[in-house]
Amino acid sequence: MHILDTGARFSAVRFSPVFNPPRSRHFTVRANLPFPKHQAKYHRELEAAIDAVDRACRLCVDVKRSLFSSKDKILEKNDQTPVTIADFGVQALVSLELSKLFPSIPLVAEEDSLFLRENNLVSSVVSEVIAKASVGDDRLSDADVLEAIDRGGKDAYTFCNKPATYWVLDPIDGTRGFLKGDDALYVVGLALVVDNEIVLGVMGCPNWPGDSSDGTTGTLMLSHSGCGTWTKNLQVSGDWTRRFVDACGLVNKARLCKYLMIASGRASVFLLRARTERTIKSWDHAVGIICVHEAGGKVTDWEGVDINLEEDQSERRIIFPAGGVVVSNGSLHHQLLEMISSASPTI
């Protein structure tokens, strides 16, 4: 993603980089889900998504541990973005786990297996997937894993310009951060879309401690339409904490960051400018949109229009937000849109 250099474009505004999250609005519960299942129409899909993302995060941790002793696991795609066997392993693993319970729901995801085949890394990905997949998947073949990856790839499914139900997966949002070390955050993001509405989302961030006070790292965030946004430690059990956006009402006091931090109340604004040379992908935004919305925030294009996931009618892989994407705590949204409108001839 490209974050707009707001300080350079809006000379009268400075965003504070310091995180000072409010805590008074948080509360915790202990359960598999943080709300009664009858309140969540898609609770089965949400539970499956939580399990899949949790497994995917464990795969990422193991791959990252071995990356720097095996440089051939780090590659570069044609657009000069880095990719690792973790990207492919996550996509295969999530695809396999979801297809067991929901075989009729298609998957829209970032990778396909052609690049993997061309670089002779199939066996490395297969071994990582087998290690993290559900019991009974120990006999997965290379073909099984490659097919699982391609289930989410380009041309895997055609939506025929009709409303649909489908998963959207970003295997690793922040691969560059994944490669840099423990300080740079990266996220596995999974969302479910039903008739152009994002109804649930799960983000796993293996190296963010969140509110942990015991030194452990790893945070899982979930959202379900009408049920709020919640986080817990990535460990199997633990308390869920309800999340809300912050209450910042002055743009010059706002903290600039990405979806995860805004939904957690630790930042206020994320701005992305559309560029003619790069497309904006649905998987970079789908899960973040619902997590911010359910935490009380707002996401639109630069003209204040909600993001439409169906503009790419046949594949649902690309979005076309006018000008770019504006993510905020809600309180600042109108101010930001006015600033963008007044500055638009120069940005």
Side-chain angles (χ1 to χ4, degrees):
M1 296 184 186
H2 292 282
I3 299 177
L4 177 67
D5 183 359
T6 316
R9 303 296 181 181
F10 301 133
S11 59
V13 177
R14 289 185 178 272
F15 291 96
S16 169
V18 180
F19 291 160
N20 184 23
R23 300 181 183 273
S24 59
R25 300 179 69 195
H26 297 171
F27 55 90
T28 62
V29 296
R30 180 180 291 274
N32 292 331
L33 291 179
F35 37 75
K37 291 182 179 180
H38 72 267
Q39 294 182 3
K41 181 178 180 180
Y42 301 98
H43 65 85
R44 289 182 63 247
E45 291 86 346
L46 180 58
E47 289 175 319
I50 291 170
D51 180 68
V53 170
D54 180 78
R55 293 176 185 275
C57 287
R58 295 172 191 274
L59 183 151
C60 288
V61 170
D62 286 352
V63 170
K64 187 170 184 177
R65 190 177 294 124
S66 65
L67 271 180
F68 300 103
S69 62
S70 182
K71 296 295 185 182
D72 61 343
K73 294 182 180 180
I74 307 173
L75 304 167
E76 192 172 84
K77 292 189 282 190
N78 292 335
D79 61 359
Q80 284 73 57
T81 57
V83 63
T84 73
I85 65 169
D87 295 83
F88 297 102
V90 165
Q91 185 158 318
L93 181 58
V94 171
S95 175
L96 286 164
E97 297 300 318
L98 295 178
S99 64
K100 292 174 189 175
L101 294 176
F102 308 102
S104 65
I105 301 180
L107 174 68
V108 174
E110 185 170 8
E111 311 298 349
D112 62 58
S113 69
L114 178 61
F115 187 82
L116 192 65
R117 299 170 197 258
E118 291 176 344
N119 288 274
N120 299 316
L121 287 174
V122 175
S123 60
S124 297
V125 172
V126 171
S127 63
E128 296 291 346
V129 172
I130 289 175
K132 295 297 181 294
S134 301
V135 175
D137 283 344
D138 56 332
R139 296 184 181 179
L140 284 171
S141 67
D142 290 4
D144 293 331
V145 172
L146 293 173
E147 181 181 349
I149 293 171
D150 287 335
R151 178 172 170 255
K154 184 175 174 59
D155 302 322
Y157 189 89
T158 301
F159 290 89
C160 301
N161 305 337
K162 297 179 180 178
T165 297
Y166 58 97
W167 299 102
V168 182
L169 170 69
D170 192 349
I172 298 181
D173 181 17
T175 301
R176 294 187 189 279
F178 179 76
L179 297 172
K180 286 181 180 178
D182 292 337
D183 292 336
L185 302 183
Y186 62 96
V187 169
V188 177
L190 178 64
L192 180 66
V193 180
V194 178
D195 297 341
N196 200 32
E197 178 188 357
I198 308 167
V199 298
L200 67 85
V202 179
M203 282 196 273
C205 186
N207 62 338
W208 184 45
D211 292 333
S212 175
S213 59
D214 59 4
T216 60
T217 59
T219 297
L220 188 73
M221 173 177 284
L222 71 78
S223 293
H224 185 288
S225 180
C227 297
T229 294
W230 303 74
T231 61
K232 78 174 188 68
N233 190 279
L234 259 177
Q235 297 175 356
V236 176
S237 61
D239 293 337
W240 289 100
T241 301
R242 181 77 183 264
R243 295 294 176 181
F244 299 92
V245 294
D246 70 13
C248 179
L250 297 173
V251 174
N252 62 345
K253 299 294 185 182
R255 298 178 295 274
L256 181 68
C257 201
K258 290 190 177 184
Y259 285 102
L260 177 69
M261 294 301 175
I262 296 172
S264 300
R266 294 173 177 252
S268 310
V269 175
F270 165 65
L271 299 176
L272 173 71
R273 182 176 62 176
R275 299 175 184 272
T276 56
E277 69 272 17
R278 302 202 71 169
T279 55
I280 300 178
K281 304 299 177 56
S282 60
W283 49 77
D284 285 329
H285 299 272
V287 68
I289 289 172
I290 187 169
C291 287
V292 168
H293 277 168
E294 287 294 318
K298 193 170 180 63
V299 183
T300 70
D301 66 17
W302 281 26
E303 296 179 356
V305 178
D306 290 343
I307 305 299
N308 183 359
L309 297 177
E310 292 189 344
E311 287 186 284
D312 179 5
Q313 294 182 338
S314 62
E315 294 187 333
R316 312 292 162 89
R317 301 176 69 81
I318 302 172
I319 58 176
F320 303 92
V325 179
V326 183
V327 185
S328 80
N329 62 3
S331 301
L332 295 171
H333 213 80
H334 183 67
Q335 296 178 55
L336 292 166
L337 292 175
E338 285 191 333
M339 291 168 59
I340 289 170
S341 177
S342 64
S344 58
T346 63
I347 59 177

